[in-house]
């Protein structure tokens, strides 16, 4: 969750700085570059705890041996698979017949 908060904050800052730069008449491309640089600088200087928490959450996520994150769809699929009779025949090697 800290990663999503940090990303949302940085995107919000990019949009704000982009709008300010466009209003100042810098042009679209230069405004985008300036907005990205300014958003990076502001988050780097003033939001260190949130940045560190985001980095730590990414490190935990991609560390070897970390439990795999699952979403609701994967949990529903797992529950459906668990409800199937394990002794039911499965012919996964056969091609389905055309009707």
């Amino acid at each position: 969750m800290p990663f999503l908060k940090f990303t949302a904050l940085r995107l919000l800052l990019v949009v704000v700085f982009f709008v300010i730069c466009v209003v100042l008449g810098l042009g679209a491309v230069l405004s985008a570059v300036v907005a990205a640089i300014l958003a990076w600088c502001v988050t780097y200087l003033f939001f260190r705890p949130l940045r560190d928490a985001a980095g730590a959450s990414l490190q935990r996520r991609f560390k070897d041996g970390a439990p795999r994150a699952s979403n609701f769809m994967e949990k529903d699929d797992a529950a459906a698979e668990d409800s199937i009779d394990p002794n039911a025949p499965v012919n996964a090697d056969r091609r389905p017949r055309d009707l």
Side-chain angles (χ1 to χ4, degrees):
M1 194 65 166
F3 178 75
L4 293 176
K5 288 179 185 178
F6 184 70
T7 303
L9 173 69
R10 187 173 277 181
L11 285 175
L12 177 69
L13 288 172
V14 167
V15 169
V16 168
F17 287 132
F18 179 78
V19 170
I20 291 171
C21 290
V22 168
V23 169
L24 292 175
L26 293 181
V29 175
L30 185 59
S31 294
V33 171
V34 170
I37 291 171
L38 287 175
W40 177 82
C41 290
V42 168
T43 55
Y44 185 79
L45 292 174
F46 299 112
F47 295 99
R48 181 178 180 176
L50 188 57
R51 187 183 74 236
D52 290 343
S57 69
L58 281 178
Q59 183 179 13
R60 281 191 306 273
R61 168 104 181 191
F62 292 109
K63 189 173 94 173
D64 289 338
R68 193 172 157 275
S70 61
N71 57 23
F72 292 116
M73 187 179 295
E74 290 176 349
K75 290 180 182 178
D76 288 342
D77 287 346
E81 290 173 359
D82 291 343
S83 68
I84 295 176
D85 180 21
N87 297 322
V90 176
N91 293 326
D93 296 337
R94 299 182 75 189
R95 186 174 148 193
R97 294 182 189 172
D98 295 331
L99 298 176

